Amino acid sequence: MTETKEGNILWRPSEEVIAQANLSTFMKWLREHRGYQFESYQALWRWSVSKIEEFWASLWDYFDIIASRQPEIVLAERVMPGAMWFPGARLNYAENLLRHANSGRTAIYFRPEAGPLERISWDQLAGQAAALAAAFRDLGVSPGDRVVAYLPNIPQAISALLAAASLGAIWSSCPPDFGERSVLDRFSQIDPKVLIAVDGYFWGGRSFNRTEVVNRLQENLPSLERTIVIDQIGASEKIAGESWEALLSQYEGAAFAFEQLPFSHPLWVLYSSGTTGLPKPIVQSQGGILLEHLKSIHLTMDLKKDDRFFWYTSTGWMMWNYLVGGLLNGTPIVLYDGSPNFPDLNVLWALAAEAGMTYFGTGAAFILACMKADLHPGRDFDLSSLRALGSTGSPLPAEGFGWVYERVHTELALESFSGGTDLCTGFIGGIRTQPIYAGELQGPSLGANVQAFNESGMPVLDEVGELVITEPMPSMPLYFWNDPGMVRYRQSYFEMYPDVWRHGDWIEINARNGCVIYGRSDSTINRQGIRMGTSEIYRVVESHPEIADSLVVDLELLGRKSFMPLFVLLREGAALDERLKDSIKANVRSQISPRHVPDEIIAVEDIPYTLSGKKMEVPIRRILLGHPLEKAVNQGAMRNPESLEFYIEFARWIEDNKDAA
């Protein structure tokens, strides 16, 4: 392969691409309907983050939001946290999404791992969601109740989300590869009324029975009143509850009655794990997600009604919710339920050809795995429909960019995104009217005032700093569930820079507003796009009687495969043999998720702690990434500074063996 260096120009939009871009259409609309003349994207972006009320009001009109009552104003309070968007408005997310029904067109292309490509029409989607909404209503579901799902990435999950949203119920989901403890850590916080679950799932050519897990979920969620069961694998054991098929048959032909809700009415709860305590239950609004996803799907990703939009995801990652957002735009979406490397890494490229994908979304780790496997997707499959490829989950290095243009398609737009569960969107990413440079995200999205701050809270250019957002956005969390006084919310995002959102990533912004992300600046584990708190892993690891203490970090080695070592302090007389290693990995796999199994388990003599008794995950991560010791850690604030010697030596080992990664 040809060497690709960071900053090389890899793609320029043609005049035709620029003319047909949704951004160009929006700029023309602003000129004709608002009197604004913008000569460049950068000028448009500056306006969108300085005149935020005018910008978001223009989107309301441009997208012709369906609302039974129009808003009184755009923004009652321009503060973070606590911004009050579009007070007085009454609307429904599901009603706006299902405006595209009765078209006779395909809404969803679905490919199960062991089955043929299926097509679900808009009418089928709407009919199933309406029947389920009627069933929910008769089951006693009302606005504000929680409906939770233990489901894989299947069309039924989307129908259930829309049914819940149509009633004003609050949605939350986990994939069935999550273990019992991970699910309970999430769902038990929000007291769900209804659970929708599968009896099992398929992965890597095998079926996995989850009936025991679902039975234990029922036992340990006392608020549950009903369970709806989808027979996915035909398990012989039965789960007590209503049959999905029987329920839909009973309510077939039901009509929607969309609840008209305030803009800030909760839509769903997502989970973004911190380093201590339970996962953070993030509540986002019907109106905020509606407007943000329309903006992002239409203007940032340039998707149109004739596109076919795919992102490889699970129901436990915010990219699933974001993928559903494609339907708001009238864009058909492509779902895949299964392993991305079974029977081999070509499975998703084969799906791209079969489904006629125009937008292929995946994680940077998948691209790097394909590169390492020396795949030639553009040669081996008909990818002529593909016009864009999205990458997120972790930073994509320059050589990953080069592989895409050399081995996939020379004329597609490779859009690397950064965002997060916290806002359920990408706030840095594609700009279809601008060139693409190797290793760079093209720039901040409209309405997202993204900056790099130094430790003094000052914006910097051409220097690595903390990624911050300095103006409110409608999809920012309303609050965390059960967080009186928003104490945990403020600690999560506003502790370092009061009134400024600190996201927890390292970012460098250059003079042309191009961005490079260097991974997490906090210690949250981000594996294949799924964020998991270290505390969740510790609870499982330290339940082993041989383990006295532990420390885990994810190094996200830029340009190489992510490496997550687990350091364990053994109790006296215990040995870290293969039996114990296998037991730890098996329990993390079953109780947390397969994505968060450590790559290596290493015995250490001590775990570093601060004087206040906190594990020093971030400083150790910095040391292992090669930062100078004096910049990585304040030894005067440590309880046991002598413990650092092992990690300094381990960092040298990583550096000496980096070429083998």
Side-chain angles (χ1 to χ4, degrees):
M1 281 183 56
T2 306
E3 182 181 4
T4 303
K5 295 183 178 180
E6 189 171 302
N8 288 357
I9 295 181
L10 299 176
W11 180 84
R12 291 184 185 274
S14 66
E15 291 184 6
E16 181 182 11
V17 166
I18 293 172
Q20 294 179 356
N22 291 340
L23 271 172
S24 299
T25 303
F26 179 57
M27 292 168 74
K28 180 181 178 183
W29 183 91
L30 285 172
R31 184 172 65 250
E32 294 175 350
H33 294 268
R34 293 291 195 270
Y36 290 116
Q37 179 75 33
F38 298 109
E39 298 301 326
S40 67
Y41 176 83
Q42 296 307 322
L44 174 64
W45 177 78
R46 285 191 294 270
W47 169 75
S48 78
V49 297
S50 58
K51 304 293 185 181
I52 63 173
E53 292 93 340
E54 295 176 36
F55 169 68
W56 291 102
S58 73
L59 292 185
W60 181 283
D61 293 340
Y62 180 73
F63 290 119
D64 191 22
I65 299 299
I66 298 173
S68 60
R69 186 187 301 167
Q70 294 297 309
E72 297 160 3
I73 55 175
V74 175
L75 187 56
E77 294 186 52
R78 190 169 172 169
V79 296
M80 289 190 295
M84 296 179 61
W85 290 97
F86 295 94
R90 307 285 292 194
L91 48 68
N92 188 283
Y93 169 92
E95 183 177 16
N96 277 272
L97 187 149
L98 289 167
R99 73 199 300 176
H100 304 287
N102 302 316
S103 65
R105 300 173 67 242
T106 298
I108 299 171
Y109 294 82
F110 170 57
R111 169 81 153 76
E113 186 181 85
L117 184 69
E118 304 172 19
R119 297 185 181 211
I120 293 92
S121 71
W122 276 99
D123 294 344
Q124 288 174 306
L125 175 64
Q128 190 172 88
L132 195 57
F136 282 165
R137 190 178 285 108
D138 284 355
L139 292 175
V141 176
S142 58
D145 287 337
R146 275 75 67 202
V147 173
V148 298
Y150 190 52
L151 298 177
N153 185 24
I154 55 179
Q156 293 95 319
I158 297 177
S159 299
L161 163 60
L162 296 177
S166 74
L167 300 176
I170 303 169
W171 172 263
S172 192
S173 60
C174 286
D177 64 337
F178 271 25
E180 174 190 352
R181 178 171 295 178
S182 286
V183 179
L184 286 173
D185 281 351
R186 288 155 173 77
F187 289 169
S188 64
Q189 297 188 68
I190 63 174
D191 298 322
K193 178 178 280 191
V194 175
L195 167 67
I196 307 169
V198 288
D199 60 347
Y201 67 99
F202 296 99
W203 184 271
R206 299 171 55 199
S207 63
F208 294 83
N209 190 316
R210 305 307 268 172
T211 55
E212 287 188 15
V213 174
V214 176
N215 288 332
R216 289 195 295 270
L217 294 180
Q218 291 175 313
E219 293 170 5
N220 291 285
L221 292 172
S223 61
L224 270 188
E225 296 181 9
R226 301 283 181 145
T227 299
I228 300 171
V229 183
I230 297 175
D231 186 2
Q232 182 80 348
I233 67 168
S236 57
E237 305 92 336
K238 297 304 175 187
I239 299 168
E242 315 269 351
S243 161
W244 171 277
E245 293 296 338
L247 208 57
L248 291 187
S249 177
Q250 180 182 347
Y251 290 91
E252 185 176 1
F256 268 118
F258 296 104
E259 289 285 338
Q260 297 302 297
L261 306 160
F263 187 93
S264 59
H265 184 85
L267 173 62
W268 54 45
V269 179
L270 304 179
Y271 304 91
S272 184
S273 300
T275 57
T276 58
L278 294 171
K280 298 177 293 188
I282 296 169
V283 183
Q284 289 156 340
S285 69
Q286 289 238 354
I289 291 297
L290 168 64
L291 210 53
E292 171 59 39
H293 283 187
L294 277 169
K295 179 211 74 175
S296 189
I297 294 292
H298 187 82
L299 297 177
T300 303
M301 306 188 80
D302 196 49
L303 287 166
K304 303 172 173 63
K305 290 185 179 180
D306 292 331
D307 280 309
R308 296 180 187 180
F309 175 39
F310 169 77
W311 209 287
Y312 180 76
T313 183
S314 80
T315 57
W317 186 17
M318 52 78 51
M319 288 308 300
W320 181 83
N321 305 69
Y322 186 87
L323 177 62
V324 174
L327 296 171
L328 289 167
N329 194 51
T331 304
I333 63 174
V334 182
L335 307 183
Y336 181 71
D337 176 32
S339 168
N341 57 10
F342 178 82
D344 55 46
L345 280 166
N346 277 316
V347 63
L348 296 184
W349 300 113
L351 176 61
E354 183 182 16
M357 283 180 205
T358 60
Y359 202 113
F360 183 113
T362 185
F366 176 78
I367 294 174
L368 295 176
C370 291
M371 180 178 71
K372 189 172 183 179
D374 198 29
L375 298 190
H376 293 71
R379 180 195 67 191
D380 298 337
F381 301 97
D382 179 7
L383 302 180
S384 56
S385 297
L386 198 62
R387 65 187 188 94
L389 190 149
S391 171
T392 193
S394 58
L396 181 65
E399 54 266 35
F401 278 75
W403 180 84
V404 168
Y405 280 101
E406 188 168 318
R407 296 290 180 85
V408 180
H409 204 307
T410 58
E411 295 302 323
L412 57 74
L414 172 53
E415 297 173 338
S416 184
F417 283 85
S418 182
T421 303
D422 319 77
L423 284 80
C424 197
T425 193
F427 39 73
I428 312 169
I431 304 168
R432 196 57 60 86
T433 56
Q434 292 190 171
I436 291 173
Y437 297 83
E440 286 187 17
L441 293 75
Q442 287 178 278
S445 301
L446 296 178
N449 198 350
V450 174
Q451 298 185 36
F453 268 21
N454 62 19
E455 292 182 356
S456 301
M458 300 297 294
V460 293
L461 284 179
D462 295 315
E463 182 179 325
V464 177
E466 289 276 357
L467 192 163
V468 300
I469 303 174
T470 63
E471 293 288 352
M473 296 173 64
S475 69
M476 284 179 172
L478 295 170
Y479 46 82
F480 291 169
W481 197 268
N482 196 24
D483 180 27
M486 300 182 79
V487 173
R488 197 178 179 198
Y489 187 174
R490 292 178 183 276
Q491 289 175 343
S492 296
Y493 308 115
F494 300 100
E495 198 167 49
M496 180 174 288
Y497 307 111
D499 305 319
V500 171
W501 175 289
R502 170 186 171 265
H503 193 66
D505 281 336
W506 298 119
I507 184 174
E508 182 175 353
I509 304 175
N510 59 34
R512 59 173 176 269
N513 237 20
C515 303
V516 178
I517 302 292
Y518 290 101
R520 300 295 298 170
S521 63
D522 62 21
S523 55
T524 300
I525 302 296
N526 187 340
R527 299 280 277 183
Q528 300 176 34
I530 305 296
R531 294 173 66 187
M532 190 72 64
T534 54
S535 61
E536 297 183 75
I537 297 173
Y538 295 147
R539 280 201 297 273
V540 173
V541 172
E542 293 167 21
S543 68
H544 290 78
E546 300 93 338
I547 305 300
D549 204 352
S550 61
L551 182 90
V552 66
V553 293
D554 185 15
L555 299 184
E556 287 188 290
L557 297 170
L558 193 61
R560 306 195 295 280
K561 183 180 179 181
S562 174
F563 177 59
M564 190 176 85
L566 169 68
F567 303 99
V568 294
L569 177 63
L570 298 168
R571 295 191 184 278
E572 187 174 355
L576 185 61
D577 53 21
E578 292 304 315
R579 179 202 59 80
L580 179 56
K581 288 183 180 181
D582 290 345
S583 176
I584 291 171
K585 290 182 178 182
N587 285 343
V588 171
R589 180 181 298 277
S590 64
Q591 297 185 46
I592 301 297
S593 92
R595 298 173 177 85
H596 295 85
V597 174
D599 295 305
E600 294 286 348
I601 303 177
I602 303 110
V604 295
E605 293 184 0
D606 206 356
I607 300 294
Y609 275 88
T610 65
L611 291 172
S612 59
K614 293 182 179 180
K615 293 184 185 184
M616 300 182 64
E617 296 151 321
V618 172
I620 294 303
R621 184 175 184 275
R622 290 172 179 164
I623 289 172
L624 298 184
L625 285 173
H627 291 246
L629 182 62
E630 62 276 11
K631 292 186 178 181
V633 58
N634 176 9
Q635 296 186 62
M638 290 187 65
R639 188 174 72 191
N640 51 349
E642 67 282 356
S643 65
L644 293 178
E645 189 58 38
F646 171 86
Y647 301 94
I648 295 169
E649 288 298 320
F650 195 74
R652 294 192 184 109
W653 179 87
I654 291 174
E655 178 63 23
D656 291 343
N657 291 273
K658 65 181 180 180
D659 293 333

